[in-house]
């Protein structure tokens, strides 16, 4: 089994078999706990499209989703599938998957005694956080575009810019829905503490999503965010990725100073 995993990890695209049967009862219990806790916590906080998409995760068995079953449903909705990977994969591999409508998900789950802390994206973050919205056509399309832009940014030596765009939208984005602030970023959807903090704390700034500002704003991956950027709807991101020609922006931005998140929208 171990040898099989090691050999499989050498697939050029870093995918490995999920081996769903290998998860223990304890691991399935952690998923169920997190799922119940987080779906309740997000009431009135997450964008309504998230709850619409959440039923793709309600499968015939409880516990960590079996990707074969999950993929039948997800693929039928938007042509996306989830693939198993051992953990973080190289940027190029990651964006290559996205550009082909495949979302890489960590093939492990956090321990029962550290429900609120992960060092690397696990199957709960990846599947609960990212997959429900991938069942939405607008998100399905902009995530694929994000993959293509990621590959282009790598070519242009500007990955850090695209990473900021990804971070402040896909991972930590906020959206206005009927005038109310809601969460759509997966890093928020999958975090009990930060889902509250992002909407309720007086500490962080919440600025309108302006492309050049986002591309210039640094972020931290080891603490709650000091800045969140607010879109008016998913069409905004789709249009932005469809028309902005990001690669053209990179040389122009090279002369501009980076912005600190604590000051975003406060100038
Ligand atoms: N790998 N498994 C995994 N998950 C990610 O979110 C991920 C990755 N590799 C690279 C990467 N993200 C970053 O380059 C982007 O977040 C910008
Ligand atoms: Fe993520």
């Amino acid at each position: 089994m171990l040898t099989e995993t090691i050999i499989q990890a050498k697939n050029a695209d870093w995918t490995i078999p999920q081996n769903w049967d290998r998860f223990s009862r304890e691991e399935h219990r952690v998923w169920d706990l997190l799922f119940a806790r987080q779906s309740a916590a997000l009431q009135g906080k997450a964008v309504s499209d998230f709850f619409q998409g959440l039923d793709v995760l309600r499968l015939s068995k409880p516990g960590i989703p079996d990707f074969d079953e999950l993929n039948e449903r997800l693929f039928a909705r938007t042509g996306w599938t989830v693939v198993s990977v051992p953990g973080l994969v190289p940027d190029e591999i990651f964006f290559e998957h996205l550009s082909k409508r495949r979302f890489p998900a960590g093939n492990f789950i956090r321990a029962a005694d550290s429900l609120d802390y992960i060092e690397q994206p696990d199957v709960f973050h990846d599947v609960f956080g990212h997959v429900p919205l991938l069942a939405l056509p607008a998100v399905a399309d902009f995530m694929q575009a994000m993959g293509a832009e990621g590959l282009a940014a790598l070519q242009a030596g500007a990955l850090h810019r695209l990473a900021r765009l990804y971070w402040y939208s896909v991972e930590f984005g906020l959206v206005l829905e009927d005038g109310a602030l809601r969460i759509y970023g997966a890093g928020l959807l999958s975090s009990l503490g930060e889902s509250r903090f992002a909407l309720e704390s007086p500490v962080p700034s919440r600025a309108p999503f302006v492309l050049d500002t986002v591309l210039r704003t640094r972020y931290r991956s080891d603490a709650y965010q000091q800045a969140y950027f607010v879109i008016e709807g998913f069409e905004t991101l789709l249009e932005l990725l469809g028309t902005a020609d990001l690669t053209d922006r990179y040389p122009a931005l090279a002369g501009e100073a980076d912005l600190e998140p604590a000051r975003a929208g406060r100038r």
Side-chain angles (χ1 to χ4, degrees):
M1 229 298 278
L2 185 59
T3 329
E4 186 184 278
T5 307
I6 290 166
I7 290 166
Q8 290 290 347
K10 287 185 176 169
N11 276 348
D13 66 1
W14 285 64
T15 59
I16 55 174
Q18 184 189 23
N19 285 334
W20 187 85
D21 293 333
R22 183 194 49 116
F23 289 113
S24 67
R25 284 178 57 183
E26 174 77 354
E27 288 170 316
H28 286 305
R29 197 181 65 87
V30 169
W31 171 278
D32 289 337
L33 245 163
L34 287 166
F35 188 100
R37 189 183 76 165
Q38 202 61 16
S39 340
L42 292 176
Q43 295 299 323
K45 292 197 176 67
V47 66
S48 59
D49 291 318
F50 172 79
F51 295 104
Q52 307 263 303
L54 198 56
D55 64 292
V56 291
L57 297 186
R58 295 188 205 280
L59 304 177
S60 61
K61 302 169 276 205
I64 297 165
D66 181 334
F67 289 175
D68 288 339
E69 194 183 346
L70 171 61
N71 282 338
E72 270 184 43
R73 294 192 178 200
L74 182 61
F75 189 82
R77 296 245 199 141
T78 56
W80 273 77
T81 54
V82 175
V83 293
S84 260
V85 294
L88 280 176
V89 303
D91 299 321
E92 188 174 2
I93 303 291
F94 182 70
F95 292 123
E96 181 82 28
H97 279 300
L98 297 188
S99 73
K100 295 187 170 147
R101 292 193 174 235
R102 291 193 298 256
F103 196 83
N107 197 15
F108 64 94
I109 194 157
R110 66 199 71 182
D113 61 6
S114 57
L115 289 185
D116 297 307
Y117 179 74
I118 48 170
E119 255 175 65
Q120 288 205 5
D122 70 345
V123 67
F124 185 74
H125 165 82
D126 286 333
V127 173
F128 183 90
H130 288 280
V131 170
L133 285 175
L134 285 172
L136 194 77
V139 176
D141 290 351
F142 89 65
M143 283 293 276
Q144 178 175 21
M146 198 66 93
E149 288 295 346
L151 295 173
L154 275 167
Q155 288 286 318
L159 181 69
H160 65 295
R161 303 253 180 239
L162 196 279
R164 289 170 184 172
L165 176 60
Y166 187 90
W167 192 260
Y168 285 121
S169 59
V170 177
E171 293 293 350
F172 292 96
L174 300 180
V175 59
L176 272 176
E177 183 175 71
D178 301 327
L181 212 49
R182 295 283 186 258
I183 284 165
Y184 74 90
L188 299 175
L189 293 168
S190 61
S191 162
L192 187 65
E194 195 164 355
S195 57
R196 234 177 255 151
F197 177 86
L199 293 180
E200 293 163 12
S201 168
V203 174
S205 65
R206 299 173 185 86
F209 195 99
V210 176
L211 180 62
D212 278 7
T213 308
V214 171
L215 295 178
R216 291 174 58 200
T217 305
R218 297 171 188 271
Y219 64 83
R220 285 181 60 172
S221 58
D222 61 347
Y224 288 174
Q225 302 306 301
Q226 292 173 294
Y228 299 98
F229 289 95
V230 185
I231 58 170
E232 307 227 329
F234 294 125
E235 288 68 27
T236 309
L237 290 175
L238 196 54
E239 276 168 30
L240 213 147
L241 286 167
T243 59
D245 217 332
L246 293 175
T247 349
D248 283 353
R249 299 296 312 136
Y250 300 145
L253 288 171
E256 309 266 349
D258 279 349
L259 302 173
E260 294 305 325
R263 294 177 46 91
R266 290 194 177 141
R267 255 143 290 127

